[in-house]
Amino acid sequence: MVWTWRYEKADGSEVAPGNGQAEEFAGQGDAETWIGENWKQLAEDGVDRAVLLDDGREIYSMSLHEG
C-alpha cells in the first residue's frame, strides 16, 4: 500500500505539490504526521484541501484553513 496526499483548491481542482513531486508514505500514520508538519506551508502555497489516498482510493479529505 502506498499512501499519498492529493491537494485541491476550494473548487475541487487539483493543485500540484509545491516541489512538483507527490510524497509517498508507507502507512497512514506517516502520511498524517507529514501533513501535520506541512499543512501551513501548503495553505500558503494555495492549497485549500488535502485528500488522503491509499493506493489511489480516497480515505478522507480535510480543509487546510484554520477555524
Side-chain angles (χ1 to χ4, degrees):
M1 294 196 297
V2 176
W3 295 79
T4 56
W5 290 101
R6 182 178 69 225
Y7 309 114
E8 300 178 346
K9 298 294 264 174
D11 65 5
S13 61
E14 195 167 336
V15 178
N19 63 7
Q21 298 180 7
E23 301 285 338
E24 294 184 350
F25 306 93
Q28 183 175 353
D30 293 336
E32 290 171 338
T33 296
W34 186 89
I35 201 79
E37 295 171 351
N38 293 281
W39 70 270
K40 286 184 182 180
Q41 183 60 53
L42 290 165
E44 289 175 10
D45 292 343
V47 176
D48 294 309
R49 299 193 66 70
V51 181
L52 183 61
L53 305 171
D54 176 13
D55 283 334
R57 182 175 54 95
E58 186 173 323
I59 304 301
Y60 66 83
S61 65
M62 63 183 202
S63 172
L64 297 184
H65 297 287
E66 294 183 79

